[in-house]
Amino acid sequence: MDYHFSEELNRRSVYLRLLKKLWIVPAAAALCALAGFLIYTGCVTALSSHQRYEQTSKFYIEFSVDERGNAYDYYNAATWDDLLFAHPALREVIEQGLPDGMTMEDARSYVLVDLYSDIRLMTVVVTAPTAEGAAALTDAISRSLTKFGQEQKEFDEISFLSATDPKLIVVSDRTANAVLLGAFLGFIAACLFLLLGVLLDDAVYVPEDAQKRYGLPVLGVLAEDEESLPELLKGEAKRNLERVLAGKGEGSVQLVDMSGKEVRDLTALDPKVLTDKEQQEKILVMHFGEQRGSASEHRIAQLLQSGSRILGILIADCDPRFLTRYYGKN
């Protein structure tokens, strides 16, 4: 018996089955695109309730010189970040100017000090939840720094140069990107899903595949409407049954349904010879498209070990349209 996991794929059968399920790919892409839109919109909406305003101010530092003529220019950006809220002279002035509801811990998290290329030019960026809060904190820092420059020996002066107006930080609209990403991920996921489904599919669809897989003759296919089957399959089951059952006694052959279902398409069967009672000679019934390949292999192996003689296989509940596309109308 050839095991189905090592058998050669029937490309025509695979193609027709994939064609039938191809609608899943655009549907998955559309659903994931919608999901991307909703997720992105939800994130932007959530962020809008935490909007921030930014205000930038600039100061010019004139360092004093010591008795040797060296400037006290050892202040860097990290020093100023810590100094603003640690030095009592600076901290006291800032604390007095804070708006209602803002703590010193909040203020410290809102402020970033930087010295770009010239250590004498200080840039202070304040980011706060409201425009008023950003303006009030910027003003408090400005007053604290100018006062600090007047009182400390390391400086001749710290001068306020300019400040921007508080501006709302606008998040770039990436809706189109989110939709396209969702559609792309949906497309890839659907393709992989279909491919994996084909690779793991162990169902029986056409007689030739069943015969190759199980090494048993396929007597024919059964359908509710036999007239809708392709011409080469019409009456095939009846002719083959008559041949293999010729000369058999009444009730001498057991009809074994591999899935335990009732065989509905009985038009081609001989009720006199076939029975559901245990007999040595058997005809197996497999159902079209049913994922029971591994279980069927195991059951066939057990039947053969018990000494049963399998006369052949019938494929029930077939899809005439699929078989017509596979074999053609004539």
Side-chain angles (χ1 to χ4, degrees):
M1 182 185 299
D2 293 327
Y3 292 97
H4 68 268
F5 55 76
S6 61
E7 68 186 347
E8 181 181 351
L9 282 178
N10 183 332
R11 292 183 178 86
R12 183 170 177 80
S13 174
V14 168
Y15 168 75
L16 291 174
R17 283 182 279 134
L18 281 176
L19 194 64
K20 190 176 181 180
K21 298 178 181 179
L22 207 57
W23 63 270
I24 294 176
V25 175
L31 286 175
C32 289
L34 177 61
F37 170 78
L38 293 176
I39 292 172
Y40 179 80
T41 302
C43 290
V44 170
T45 302
L47 288 174
S48 66
S49 62
H50 298 84
Q51 59 188 8
R52 294 288 185 269
Y53 289 83
E54 183 178 281
Q55 186 170 15
T56 302
S57 55
K58 294 184 181 296
F59 302 86
Y60 188 79
I61 305 171
E62 297 181 44
F63 293 100
S64 299
V65 295
D66 58 20
E67 60 276 4
R68 299 180 180 179
N70 298 319
Y72 294 101
D73 55 359
Y74 45 77
Y75 288 79
N76 56 30
T79 302
W80 282 113
D81 261 333
D82 186 60
L83 204 62
L84 275 177
F85 297 93
H87 198 289
L90 290 165
R91 180 184 178 89
E92 183 179 345
V93 177
I94 292 174
E95 195 167 16
Q96 290 174 355
L98 291 181
D100 293 339
M102 185 183 294
T103 65
M104 286 296 287
E105 288 73 20
D106 293 335
R108 183 165 191 163
S109 66
Y110 297 155
V111 175
L112 176 65
V113 179
D114 212 337
L115 305 173
Y116 292 106
S117 58
D118 189 341
I119 62 171
R120 293 169 298 179
L121 186 61
M122 179 193 299
T123 301
V124 179
V125 180
V126 173
T127 307
T130 64
E132 294 78 12
L137 182 54
T138 298
D139 183 63
I141 292 173
S142 175
R143 287 187 282 105
S144 69
L145 286 173
T146 53
K147 182 180 179 183
F148 191 69
Q150 295 169 357
E151 295 175 348
Q152 301 302 310
K153 68 174 184 177
E154 292 90 346
F155 311 100
D156 285 338
E157 186 180 10
I158 299 178
S159 306
F160 171 76
L161 297 180
S162 64
T164 62
D165 294 327
K167 292 188 292 188
L168 178 64
I169 300 175
V170 179
V171 179
S172 299
D173 186 1
R174 303 288 184 179
T175 304
N177 292 14
V179 170
L180 290 174
L181 178 61
F184 175 74
L185 293 177
F187 175 84
I188 295 298
C191 289
L192 291 176
F193 170 80
L194 289 178
L195 179 61
L196 186 62
V198 167
L199 294 177
L200 296 179
D201 191 348
D202 64 355
V204 167
Y205 295 94
V206 294
E208 291 76 14
D209 288 348
Q211 186 160 332
K212 288 178 183 177
R213 177 181 299 172
Y214 302 112
L216 298 170
V218 176
L219 303 177
V221 300
L222 305 175
E224 289 187 5
D225 182 12
E226 188 176 354
E227 289 303 313
S228 62
L229 289 171
E231 285 296 326
L232 78 165
L233 297 179
K234 289 180 181 178
E236 190 175 68
K238 186 175 182 180
R239 292 192 301 271
N240 287 329
L241 279 171
E242 288 176 350
R243 176 176 53 79
V244 299
L245 297 179
K248 306 289 183 185
E250 184 174 343
S252 63
V253 178
Q254 182 186 7
L255 191 66
V256 180
D257 194 309
M258 302 301 284
S259 64
K261 293 181 179 179
E262 180 182 355
V263 182
R264 296 179 297 169
D265 313 321
L266 298 174
T267 54
L269 305 184
D270 187 342
K272 293 182 181 180
V273 179
L274 299 174
T275 178
D276 58 355
K277 295 180 181 179
E278 188 68 32
Q279 297 292 344
Q280 202 71 10
E281 292 188 311
K282 305 178 188 297
I283 291 177
L284 309 182
V285 178
M286 297 181 181
H287 293 264
F288 177 93
E290 190 172 72
Q291 306 288 326
R292 293 184 61 84
S294 299
S296 296
E297 286 181 2
H298 177 76
R299 191 167 183 187
I300 290 171
Q302 293 301 308
L303 289 172
L304 293 175
Q305 285 186 20
S306 67
S308 297
R309 180 169 176 250
I310 299 175
L311 302 178
I313 297 172
L314 289 169
I315 303 176
D317 298 327
C318 288
D319 181 353
R321 288 182 298 178
F322 175 85
L323 293 175
T324 299
R325 288 194 297 268
Y326 182 83
Y327 290 109
K329 293 183 179 180
N330 299 320

